[in-house]
């Protein structure tokens, strides 16, 4: 198992504010003012720890008024910087984003126009997402279509693959919806287990020769009967961490188990000594920790909690 001095990558939520109304979101509904002092502290810690990749997320990261300055400072420190966005504001901000050193972009697209706009709650969001992917590709950015797998789009996910081919994106990433944030009360979006596993089996067979197809769920290794300590089904706390807009540090941005706060804790010391992170790395996870696939799979901790069995377990 990897034993790194510090994380390789970080997902940083630079704002809780968003212009969409998604039923699975972790962001707050109330508008909050982003804290420049905390942002500067986070940037300093990322630079000090030689982080390689930073994925700037939210909320909607392009709503943060300091987005260009943040990207510029991280890029000047030789980090590979990208954003995860709904695509609504990219075109009007693209020139400054490119000048600041943006290298990759992830845009959420859940399905066709009717499905996507029903899920995201904003009319016109489908066209903005597609146009952003097309424009970003022309701008020379590495482009990724993010697809959240829910009960709403479970049977239409190959549509996304074909749309990604049509647009010409570099990568499509399918990710399980996590029961956190608003998804706790909107639990109707959590897929049925059997249907979900059947769908994952189809997704992992999609052709990778024309674009990169990734299924961000560790159970794919159990489904494929891959028993190895060289595969890494879940990178939470092993290669990466998540940081919220108020400086809270998590093993993964979807796994809201607070490890510390950037304003009080040293990231390097926390990374090396935190008990929860050590348990995640050793796969000391109760029932999942006894499984022969514990290193290659180990279950999705964000979906199942720190030490519980993954309820989507295929075996």
């Amino acid at each position: 198992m990897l034993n790194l001095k510090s994380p390789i990558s970080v997902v940083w939520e630079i704002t809780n504010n968003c212009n969409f109304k998604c039923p699975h979101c972790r962001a707050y509904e109330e508008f909050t003012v982003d804290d420049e002092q905390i942002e500067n502290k986070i940037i300093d810690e990322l630079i000090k720890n030689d982080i390689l990749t930073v994925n700037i997320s939210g909320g909607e990261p392009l709503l943060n008024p300091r987005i260009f300055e943040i990207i510029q400072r991280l890029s000047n420190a030789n980090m590979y910087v990208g954003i995860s966005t709904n695509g609504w504001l990219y075109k009007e901000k693209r020139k400054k984003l490119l000048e600041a050193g943006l290298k990759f972009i992830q845009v959420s697209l859940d399905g066709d126009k009717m499905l996507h706009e029903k899920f995201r709650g904003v009319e016109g969001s489908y066209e903005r997402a597609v146009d952003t992917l097309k424009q970003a590709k022309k701008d020379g950015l590495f482009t990724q279509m993010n697809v959240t797998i829910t009960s709403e789009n479970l049977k239409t996910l190959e549509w996304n693959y074909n749309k990604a081919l049509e647009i010409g994106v570099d990568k499509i990433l399918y990710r399980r919806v996590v029961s956190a944030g608003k998804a706790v009360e909107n639990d109707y979006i959590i897929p049925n287990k059997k249907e979900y596993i059947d769908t994952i089996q189809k997704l992992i067979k999609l052709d990778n020769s024309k674009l990169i197809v990734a299924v961000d769920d560790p159970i794919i290794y159990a489904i494929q009967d891959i028993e190895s300590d060289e595969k890494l089904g879940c990178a939470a706390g092993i290669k990466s961490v998540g940081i919220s807009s108020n400086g809270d540090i998590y093993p993964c941005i979807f796994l809201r188990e607070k490890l510390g706060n950037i304003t009080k804790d040293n990231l390097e010391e926390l990374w090396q000594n935190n008990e929860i992170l050590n348990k995640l790395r050793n796969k000391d996870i109760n029932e999942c920790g006894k499984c022969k696939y514990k290193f290659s799979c180990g279950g999705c901790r964000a979906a199942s909690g720190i030490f519980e069995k993954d309820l989507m377990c295929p075996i």
Side-chain angles (χ1 to χ4, degrees):
M1 186 54 63
L2 287 173
N3 186 18
L4 302 172
K5 178 183 176 183
S6 59
I8 293 174
S9 63
V10 167
V11 178
W12 176 14
E13 296 173 331
I14 63 168
T15 185
N16 280 326
N17 300 318
C18 192
N19 49 347
F20 279 19
K21 304 171 183 177
C22 309
H24 67 309
C25 188
R26 302 178 309 279
Y28 298 109
E29 292 181 340
E30 298 86 7
F31 181 85
T32 58
V33 177
D34 300 310
D35 192 313
E36 182 174 344
Q37 187 174 357
I38 293 177
E39 290 167 356
N40 287 335
K41 174 63 175 174
I42 293 172
I43 292 170
D44 290 341
E45 282 291 306
L46 298 182
I47 293 173
K48 185 171 71 175
N49 283 275
D50 298 319
I51 305 300
L52 298 179
T53 301
V54 180
N55 182 1
I56 299 174
S57 180
E60 171 49 50
L62 295 183
L63 289 175
N64 186 306
R66 295 185 66 228
I67 181 67
F68 310 118
E69 180 184 344
I70 290 170
I71 293 174
Q72 184 78 67
R73 286 193 60 193
L74 297 175
S75 297
N76 287 348
N78 296 316
M79 295 184 209
Y80 187 67
V81 184
I83 56 171
S84 292
T85 175
N86 57 39
W88 190 267
L89 298 169
Y90 176 73
K91 278 198 170 182
E92 67 184 69
K93 296 178 181 285
R94 52 180 284 273
K95 290 185 178 179
K96 287 187 176 181
L97 290 170
L98 296 170
E99 289 170 358
L102 189 70
K103 291 295 189 293
F104 69 90
I105 188 169
Q106 301 179 6
V107 182
S108 298
L109 189 65
D110 305 295
D112 63 19
K113 178 178 173 63
M114 182 179 297
L115 193 156
H116 180 79
E117 295 190 354
K118 176 187 175 186
F119 190 73
R120 299 289 166 175
V122 176
E123 187 176 346
S125 58
Y126 172 81
E127 285 83 3
R128 293 279 186 123
V130 171
D131 288 349
T132 290
L133 285 168
K134 289 179 178 178
Q135 184 61 59
K137 182 69 176 178
K138 291 178 183 178
D139 290 338
L141 297 179
F142 184 91
T143 53
Q144 177 173 306
M145 179 190 293
N146 282 354
V147 188
T148 302
I149 305 174
T150 70
S151 60
E152 304 284 273
N153 65 356
L154 197 65
K155 300 183 188 306
T156 65
L157 295 173
E158 286 193 41
W159 179 94
N160 290 83
Y161 172 79
N162 292 322
K163 191 65 178 180
L165 286 176
E166 177 190 319
I167 295 172
V169 300
D170 298 292
K171 180 177 179 179
I172 182 170
L173 183 138
Y174 294 96
R175 176 184 289 126
R176 185 200 309 189
V177 66
V178 173
S179 184
K182 296 184 180 71
V184 174
E185 58 191 80
N186 296 319
D187 59 357
Y188 68 89
I189 64 176
I190 307 298
N192 167 275
K193 176 179 176 177
K194 183 181 184 306
E195 291 181 340
Y196 178 76
I197 292 174
D198 290 344
T199 299
I200 294 298
Q201 290 174 327
K202 294 175 183 177
L203 292 178
I204 59 181
K205 294 176 183 177
L206 290 173
D207 186 2
N208 265 276
S209 64
K210 297 176 182 178
L211 79 160
I212 302 168
V213 181
V215 181
D216 186 18
D217 194 323
I219 69 168
I220 63 173
Y221 295 110
I223 289 173
Q224 295 173 300
D225 191 25
I226 296 176
E227 181 185 350
S228 169
D229 59 2
E230 295 181 0
K231 295 289 184 180
L232 184 60
C234 176
I238 300 173
K239 292 199 304 184
S240 62
V241 294
I243 302 176
S244 69
S245 59
N246 69 354
D248 286 343
I249 304 168
Y250 304 102
C252 159
I253 212 64
F254 297 101
L255 176 54
R256 310 302 269 197
E257 182 76 26
K258 182 178 174 181
L259 306 174
N261 187 281
I262 208 81
T263 62
K264 303 173 184 176
D265 300 293
N266 180 287
L267 180 58
E268 181 179 352
E269 290 180 4
L270 187 149
W271 175 262
Q272 294 178 2
N273 301 315
N274 183 269
E275 183 179 351
I276 290 176
L277 294 182
N278 287 329
K279 286 181 178 291
L280 289 173
R281 290 163 196 163
N282 293 327
K283 299 295 182 176
D284 185 10
I285 312 170
N286 293 347
E287 196 166 349
C288 282
K290 301 172 186 175
C291 177
K292 67 177 181 178
Y293 303 113
K294 73 175 185 176
F295 287 110
S296 56
C297 173
C300 175
R301 297 299 100 212
S304 309
I306 289 286
F307 304 121
E308 302 302 318
K309 178 182 177 180
D310 190 332
L311 297 179
M312 290 295 185
C313 174
I315 56 173

